[in-house]
Each structure stands twice: as C-alpha cells, then as structure tokens.
Amino acid sequence: TPEVLVIGPSGGASVLAADVFDNAGLELAPLPDEARDALRGLGLGAGSSLANPLEIPVGPRGNPDLIQHAVKAIQSHSTYPDIVAHVNVQSFFTFGNSAAPLIAYAHSIGALQKELTTTRVTLVLRNAECAPPGVEDEVRTVARASGVPVYRSMEAAAIAVTAGKRSAHGTA
C-alpha cells in the first residue's frame, strides 16, 4: 500500500523530498494510471512528469485550490495515508509582493485536511526565513487551526510522518 504522497512546486525540492522520504524508509508509491489521467484533466503534467512527488504550480500566481483538486483526483484512485505538501516561501516574495497567496494556500491545505479524515496532511515551509516578519506565524496559525502540522524541512516532516506511523501501529 502507498504510504506518502508528496506535492509541491517543481524543481530540485521534489527530488530531494524523494530521497529524504526514501531514506526514512517511507514509500512514495507511483500514481496509478487513472489518477494521472485525472490530473491531466486538471491541466497538470505539461512539461513535468505526473509522479510522486507530484509537481504542481504553487506560488503567488498559482491557484491555491489546485492542491485540493489534485489530491481528490488521486485519492479517488489510490488512498495515501499521509500527504506532505511543500512550498517555497521565498518564491511568494521573489515573484510576488503579498503574503495573501501564501495564506490562501495554507487555508486550502487546511480545508483539504478537514475533508480527508483518514489522511494526515503535513505542510513544509521551505525557506520560511525569507518571509517578512509575522508571515510564517500566520501560516502556522492557519494550518494548525485545521490540524495540519508545519515544518521547515523535508527531513523534519519525514521524521514526524515516520513517528506517526510507528505510533499508529504500536511500534514506537
């Protein structure tokens, strides 16, 4: 059974995420063909592979609800007990000038967690130190209100997911 679905913007972070979760002993199972077809229907996959980690446009000009649509498309074909969404905070302030899109993304992640009662959603804020003062705290507050833990690195998220699995199986 698949263990973890990782979703975030394109680039080297997805490759690093795959390595981190693999090193933690967590399987990033491939997406089923039917899920890939559904993702193409959402306009994803042009210029990138539809794999796990899944690369979606996340940033100041991206649709913050796209992650919800993508996860629903995937979960209707294969259920992942853990979803780790990562975002490059720096991009929101390099290519944009407002925290609003990042906060909207946090709200979308929270809504996803509220809907997926048997899936644990985790948020990774890479390069959070690049945000203006107070922004990281606001994102954390929004995410935590929906029960979404927030980490600054893939490594921390992988440790937490592994610990959660051990605890759930009584092997802690």
Side-chain angles (χ1 to χ4, degrees):
T1 54
E3 291 187 299
V4 181
L5 172 64
V6 177
I7 302 178
S10 62
S14 291
V15 174
L16 293 174
D19 289 344
V20 166
F21 284 93
D22 184 55
N23 289 338
L26 297 166
E27 182 186 356
L28 298 183
L31 301 178
D33 290 340
E34 303 84 11
R36 287 199 298 270
D37 291 342
L39 292 168
R40 282 187 196 93
L42 293 173
L44 295 173
S48 69
S49 65
L50 292 173
N52 184 9
L54 176 64
E55 296 179 353
I56 65 169
V58 178
R61 294 179 192 91
N63 174 356
D65 296 330
L66 182 57
I67 189 164
Q68 289 182 46
H69 302 306
V71 168
K72 288 175 193 173
I74 293 166
Q75 294 279 77
S76 67
H77 299 286
S78 181
T79 302
Y80 291 80
D82 278 282
I83 296 173
V84 177
H86 66 95
V87 62
N88 181 358
V89 173
Q90 183 178 10
S91 71
F92 284 85
F93 301 98
T94 300
F95 303 108
N97 56 9
S98 165
L102 180 58
I103 303 302
Y105 185 71
H107 279 290
S108 188
I109 295 289
L112 182 63
Q113 178 62 81
K114 285 181 178 177
E115 193 171 322
L116 300 175
T117 56
T118 60
T119 298
R120 198 172 27 202
V121 180
T122 299
L123 178 59
V124 176
L125 299 176
R126 296 181 297 102
N127 300 314
E129 67 279 0
C130 296
V135 171
E136 181 180 6
D137 290 338
E138 187 174 353
V139 170
R140 285 179 183 277
T141 299
V142 167
R144 286 182 182 150
S146 300
V148 176
V150 180
Y151 299 96
R152 274 189 161 197
S153 72
M154 292 292 182
E155 291 81 3
I159 289 167
V161 169
T162 301
K165 289 189 177 310
R166 286 186 184 140
S167 176
H169 299 325
T171 58

